[in-house]
Each structure stands twice: as structure tokens, then as C-alpha cells.
Amino acid sequence: MVHVVHSFEMGGLQNGLLNLLDGLPAQRYRHAVVSLTSLSGFERRLRRDDVRFYALHKPAGLGLATHAALWRLLRRLRPALVHTRNIAALEMQAVAWAAGVPARVHGEHGWDVHDPSGQLARYRRWRRLMRPFVQQYVALSEHIADYLAAPVGVPRQRIRQIYNGVDTTRFAPAEGQSSSERGPFEPGRHFVVGTVGRLEPIKDQLTLARAFVAALQQRPDLKDRLRLVLVGDGQLRGAIEQVLREGEAESMVWMAGSRDDVPALLRGLDLFVLPSLAEGISNTILEAMACGLPVLATDVGGNGELVQPGVTGTLVPAADPAAMARALIAYADDPARGRREGQAGRLRAETAFGLQAMTGAYQALYDALLARHAGQRTAVANG
């Protein structure tokens, strides 16, 4: 089978795909991954060595040459199934149909950066236009499933909701695991809050920076104890640094940049914060829960399906630094509450969001589609 994505850089979608490929039985399926644009080296994190990766180097715009290149590649590979992901790759469902691929799946992982709430009419029209080419949809959250069923008009029987899974062995609490990483901050002395993700507008770490500064201004006594860790890099870095500089909080923040040791960094936190403007199902929330952390997240997308307020964490409105600041202060004042919620989050990650559950759901979906189109598959193979 062939998996088609717009790009293969570090990100939640790509990480989820690698987890899926590692988990599916190698003797049952052969895989290829096609990036319509480029590869970044992130694919080297895949543990198995039998998956082929292709980059088609699509330029900005329509890029009809890329459509032709994918058609030729599919005709050469003769896959039984093509799985595209997100709206940037949706049009390749038509290419897969034209190439004679028998089984076609499209996954909706979250909103496009230009359509953070799924409201753009042209994107809805595009999804409706591509709907006849897609045999089965995968929605990563109930929120997305409802969107596909109502505004887009996909019949419910063609939508399968499958949550992302998290590796609860790699992402686990600090006790009995590899050492945690707190950068310049000291365990026992500092209460460390942090986030992990690309520093991009959709992730809105600016709101977290503003909330952190506001918390310190409202409660000057926390300046000796409250600390912030930002893991990731991107276009917001300069704006974040300016907010911290103007708030005289630079010395209380560690901007760790892009890192490969995310589990250790998460284990160094006391509270995980996700300030995003939009989400599908957040891998970083699941990873934080698996590490035994309470989660403070914005109430967008599928976040409310992961975070149970008062049980595993707290939800606040998006782009509301004041509400986030109040929540930061509340957690800093009551570390025992955070530990209780973190323990509940760990249990929820283990029981509801393990990798085995995700992999099993995808395997069942793939097997059903392949069985349904077995005759076409033989015809394509002999074509």
C-alpha cells in the first residue's frame, strides 16, 4: 500500500504514520510513503527498513506535473490501497482512481493552517468534489467525523473514527525510566511548565508566553519558582522572545529549540500546556499524558476528547492569555493536584490510547477494504 502526504517533516501526522508503519505486521503488508514535496530525514526514525520513501518535489500552486509523476509511480508500484492524509493530499485520491488503485482511504488529521476552524467554504466545496473518489474516510476525532458527515456530506458508514496511539513504554513517567531533562531548572525548587511543537501561528505559543508573563505580574512571589520550557523552533521565535523580553521574563524561560529527546524533556515538566488555535488529535497531549503529566490545553478540535477537566487536566478558551494565566497560577499553587491529574492521565493513556489499539483499528480497516476489492486487485496486478 502507498501512503501519500504533503510533506515529510517532523510533525504529529508524520510521527503517527511512523508509529503505524512500525506497528503493522511486516509479513502482511508492503508499504511505500510518498511525500508530494520533500523528505527531511525524519523518515529515518522508522525502525523497519523495508519501507520505501519517495519525494515528488511539488512546487507551489497546482503542480500538474506532480499529479502525473504520482500517476506514473502508482502505475509502477501497483498498490492495492492508497491512503492520503489531510486536505493538502486529498486531490491525489483522484490520481489514485485514475491509476486504477482498487482501495482508497483518506485520513483527516486536523485543520489546515489557513482554515483553523474548518469554516472556509472553498475547502468544504473541495472536499465535496473529491468525495466520490474516496471509498473510506478516517477521522482522528469525533469532532472531525461530525464535520465530514454534516458540512461535507460523507455518509456515516464511510467514516471510521480512529484515535492516534502513543507509545506508553517510550513515553512514561520519570520513575524507573531514563533521566529527565529540565535544562537550567532545578527539581524541587522550580515548578516547570512547558510545551512541545513547531513555533508556528497555529500552535500559538505566543499566548502561552503572554500567559506566563501575566502570571508572574499577577503573582510576583512566583518569580522564584515558576519556569517555562518551549521545545521547538519556527517563525514565532522572535515574537516570543520579544514578549518575554518586554515582560522581563527571559531568564525564567528555556527555549530549547528542536530536540530529539522529547520523552526526557516531558519527564522534566510538572505541567504540559498546549496553546493551539486548532487541533485534530494531539500527539503531544497523548505523550504528556503517558508521561504522567497534567495537561492544560485550549478547548479546540479533539482536545476535549483527550483531556478530562478536573480529572486529567484543564481546558481553557483559545487565544485567551488571561484564562491560561489563571490556570498556570492554580497549578503552581497546588502541585499535588497536578500529580493526581497526571496519574489519571497516565492510566487513560494506557487504557484508551495505546499503540496496539490504533494499529489494530487500522489493520482491521485495511483488511476489510482489501477483501472487498480483492477482484479488482487481481485485475490491476495483471493489467
Side-chain angles (χ1 to χ4, degrees), residues 328-339:
L328 292 177
I329 292 170
Y331 276 105
D333 283 344
D334 191 359
R337 168 198 170 189
R339 289 192 290 272

Side-chain angles (χ1 to χ4, degrees), residues 12 164-166 171 194-197 203 262 266 272-276 278-308 312-315 342 345-346 348-349 353:
N164 280 341
V166 60
F171 292 92
T195 192
V196 177
K203 297 301 181 182
V262 171
L266 287 174
F272 177 79
V273 186
L274 190 76
S276 300
E279 284 289 342
I281 286 295
S282 167
N283 283 314
T284 51
I285 285 182
L286 292 175
E287 291 164 357
M289 289 168 59
C291 287
L293 296 176
V295 175
L296 167 59
T298 47
D299 192 6
V300 298
N303 289 354
E305 298 173 43
L306 303 182
V307 179
Q308 297 173 307
T312 66
T314 300
L315 295 171
R346 169 66 185 182
R348 183 162 163 76
F353 301 111

Side-chain angles (χ1 to χ4, degrees), residues 196-215:
V196 177
R198 303 183 313 277
L199 303 184
E200 303 292 341
I202 195 72
K203 297 301 181 182
D204 198 23
Q205 291 93 344
L206 266 175
T207 285
L208 175 55
R210 289 172 178 141
F212 182 75
V213 169

Side-chain angles (χ1 to χ4, degrees), residues 98-126:
V101 178
R104 299 178 300 277
V105 180
H106 178 67
E108 289 281 357
H109 290 237
W111 307 117
D112 185 82
V113 65
H114 303 296
D115 185 25
S117 59
Q119 299 299 313
L120 277 184
R122 61 187 176 92
Y123 280 16
R124 293 184 178 189
R125 287 194 298 269
W126 185 241

Side-chain angles (χ1 to χ4, degrees), residues 49-124:
D49 58 6
D50 60 337
V51 178
R52 289 171 289 177
F53 286 83
Y54 301 88
L56 300 185
H57 305 290
K58 181 181 182 296
L62 189 57
L64 290 177
T66 307
H67 294 69
L70 179 62
W71 182 88
R72 290 191 296 269
L73 180 61
L74 293 177
R75 294 297 294 174
R76 176 161 62 88
L77 295 177
R78 302 285 186 177
L81 185 148
V82 162
H83 187 158
T84 58
R85 288 168 169 83
N86 274 354
I87 195 167
L90 175 57
E91 63 201 86
M92 299 308 167
Q93 285 283 318
V95 175
W97 170 81
V101 178
R104 299 178 300 277
V105 180
H106 178 67
E108 289 281 357
H109 290 237
W111 307 117
D112 185 82
V113 65
H114 303 296
D115 185 25
S117 59
Q119 299 299 313
L120 277 184
R122 61 187 176 92
Y123 280 16
R124 293 184 178 189

Side-chain angles (χ1 to χ4, degrees), residues 48 156 181 261 324:
R48 54 191 292 182
R156 275 286 180 177
E181 171 61 80
D261 55 343
M324 187 167 285

